């Protein structure tokens, strides 16, 4: 029987010889998780108590040392203000995607854009849809995904935070087209990586490839552009996460599908200085911004 302190110090020493290096912070998080605690403060105030769940701690430590993403091991990932449950059926929410929703929020508030009906297509963990519901509780939020296993995760996050949105199962825009819903805002972070070499081994080995890889990296955007008149209100905003190398090809596609004069678009960079976002608006005279953080 060891105390939390002894376990921490022993683990720290034992892992020195391992291939995967893990920080003190990760050991703390594994301990907090194994003991069902809520914070670092709770951990250190109980540091000299006996570790109640050594098996859980050891099992999870082994997974981390094997290279599994910490978020899947702990079953949790932060998304701005929300703590979300995640498993390997959904992509782990990325900081870039936090950027996408912050961007949409800023665009809506700077320009007083309509946001009564918002859809998040390819919702995965539900991060975008649930955050929008959190920010705009009076809006109708629709979250779609092709995979039931992903929707189960999103639903559990919805219950956990009491953020109720309309979940719909189906490919790309199919559920929205079938129910004749008209949107003010469409947000999507679809699978857009076309080149397998662009996918990091930890992502390839553990995250669902259907959320990352697409044989045609533009397939989802084409579908959105082709159908925009059917699914969007006259005044609309569409906001997408895109791959760093898609600016040119997407510009061509926009030229092909958006002929109305009151449509405008903008590409914005992420925190890593890569073009990562595409915003398209219709019917608004939008004040765009270059720097959004
Ligand atoms: N940015 C993700 C990654 O790093 C990919 C997300 C996506 O394809 N939508 O793998």
């Amino acid at each position: 029987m060891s105390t939390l302190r002894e376990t921490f110090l022993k683990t720290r020493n034992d892992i020195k010889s391992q291939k995967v290096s893990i920080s003190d912070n990760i050991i703390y998080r594994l301990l907090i998780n194994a003991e069902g605690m809520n914070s670092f403060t709770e951990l250190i105030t109980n540091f000299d108590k006996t570790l109640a769940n050594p098996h859980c701690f050891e099992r999870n430590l082994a997974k981390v040392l094997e290279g599994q993403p910490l978020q899947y091991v702990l079953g949790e990932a932060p998304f701005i203000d929300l703590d979300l449950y995640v498993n390997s059926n959904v992509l782990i929410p990325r900081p870039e995607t936090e950027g996408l929703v912050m961007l949409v929020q800023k665009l809506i508030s700077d320009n007083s854009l309509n946001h009564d009906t918002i859809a998040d297509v390819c919702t995965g963990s539900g991060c975008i849809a649930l955050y929008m519901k959190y920010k705009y509780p009076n809006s109708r939020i629709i979250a779609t995904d092709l995979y039931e296993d992903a929707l189960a995760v999103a639903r559990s996050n919805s219950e956990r935070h009491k953020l109720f949105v309309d979940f719909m199962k189906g490919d790309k825009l199919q559920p929205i087209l079938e129910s004749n819903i008209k949107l003010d805002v469409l947000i999507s972070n679809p699978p857009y990586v076309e080149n397998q070499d662009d996918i990091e081994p930890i992502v390839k080995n553990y995250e669902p490839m259907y959320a990352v890889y697409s044989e045609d990296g533009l397939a989802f955007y084409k579908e959105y552009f082709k159908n925009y008149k059917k699914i969007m209100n006259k005044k609309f905003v569409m906001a997408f996460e895109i791959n760093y190398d898609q600016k040119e090809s997407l510009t061509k596609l926009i030229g092909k599908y958006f002929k109305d004069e009151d449509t405008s678009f903008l590409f914005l960079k992420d925190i890593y200085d890569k073009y990562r976002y595409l915003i398209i608006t219709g019917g608004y005279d939008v004040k765009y911004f270059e720097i959004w953080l």
Side-chain angles (χ1 to χ4, degrees):
M1 296 251 271
S2 317
T3 64
L4 292 158
R5 183 190 303 277
E6 286 159 358
T7 309
F8 171 73
L9 293 172
K10 181 172 184 311
T11 306
R12 203 170 187 235
N13 195 46
D14 289 354
I15 58 173
K16 281 192 189 131
S17 57
Q18 299 276 343
K19 267 208 305 274
V20 175
S21 73
I22 66 170
S23 65
D24 288 357
N25 187 44
I26 291 180
I27 308 175
Y28 292 139
R29 294 201 42 198
L30 291 169
L31 286 169
I32 290 169
N33 178 268
E35 299 299 282
M37 293 172 171
N38 289 314
S39 64
F40 180 66
T41 312
E42 195 177 344
L43 174 72
I44 49 168
T45 49
N46 289 287
F47 223 33
D48 291 310
K49 299 215 171 110
T50 305
L51 176 67
N53 295 302
H55 298 306
C56 174
F57 172 75
E58 275 151 30
R59 199 175 51 236
N60 287 345
L61 176 67
K63 287 182 189 171
V64 172
L65 289 171
E66 188 192 291
Q68 293 193 28
L70 182 67
Q71 293 91 332
Y72 289 152
V73 174
L74 300 178
E76 60 187 41
F79 189 75
I80 316 178
D81 300 342
L82 300 177
D83 275 326
L84 299 178
Y85 162 67
V86 289
N87 66 23
S88 58
N89 294 318
V90 299
L91 194 77
I92 298 166
R94 305 286 201 267
E96 293 93 307
T97 310
E98 294 194 9
L100 178 67
V101 302
M102 303 303 282
L103 198 58
V104 173
Q105 243 179 270
K106 181 162 165 55
L107 202 67
I108 290 175
S109 61
D110 282 6
N111 297 279
S112 311
L113 304 186
N114 298 344
H115 53 277
D116 290 342
T117 311
I118 303 174
D120 166 20
V121 175
C122 307
T123 196
S125 63
C127 58
I128 296 175
L130 298 176
Y131 195 77
M132 291 317 268
K133 188 68 189 176
Y134 174 64
K135 279 288 144 186
Y136 305 110
N138 296 324
S139 297
R140 177 181 185 194
I141 314 282
I142 295 143
T144 78
D145 207 286
L146 177 56
Y147 298 98
E148 192 50 53
D149 290 346
L151 283 173
V153 173
R155 281 199 186 95
S156 100
N157 281 317
S158 156
E159 292 289 331
R160 177 180 193 165
H161 291 285
K162 303 272 174 278
L163 293 168
F164 298 111
V165 308
D166 293 344
F167 289 108
M168 295 182 181
K169 182 174 176 304
D171 191 21
K172 302 187 182 79
L173 294 178
Q174 181 210 339
I176 295 173
L177 286 165
E178 277 172 6
S179 39
N180 285 317
I181 298 166
K182 291 276 186 185
L183 307 169
D184 298 306
V185 182
L186 168 68
I187 314 176
S188 184
N189 172 24
Y192 54 62
V193 183
E194 196 176 292
N195 183 352
Q196 302 243 19
D197 296 339
D198 280 349
I199 307 173
E200 307 235 5
I202 190 167
V203 177
K204 232 182 230 167
N205 292 340
Y206 295 103
E207 298 201 61
M209 272 308 98
Y210 53 73
V212 177
Y213 170 77
S214 176
E215 201 180 327
D216 169 7
L218 299 173
F220 284 74
Y221 310 111
K222 276 183 202 155
E223 199 68 15
Y224 304 150
F225 296 179
K226 240 190 254 171
N227 289 295
Y228 89 94
K229 288 208 167 165
K230 290 192 196 140
I231 55 159
M232 304 307 294
N233 279 323
K234 282 243 157 341
K235 290 172 143 202
F236 68 84
V237 52
M238 305 202 292
F240 307 116
E241 190 173 311
I242 63 168
N243 212 2
Y244 66 92
D245 58 358
Q246 291 177 323
K247 184 172 180 254
E248 235 170 87
S249 45
L250 280 167
T251 305
K252 279 197 198 123
L253 271 188
I254 293 170
K256 181 167 169 200
Y257 290 109
F258 293 87
K259 305 281 187 203
D260 289 351
E261 274 172 18
D262 65 358
T263 307
S264 65
F265 67 94
L266 181 75
F267 290 91
L268 286 162
K269 290 181 173 178
D270 63 16
I271 45 172
Y272 310 108
D273 207 31
K274 303 248 163 108
Y275 280 108
R276 185 64 63 191
Y277 309 110
L278 165 61
I279 311 281
I280 306 176
T281 64
Y284 291 113
D285 185 14
V286 166
K287 280 197 291 319
Y288 277 126
F289 38 86
E290 280 307 318
I291 296 163
W292 51 273
L293 276 180

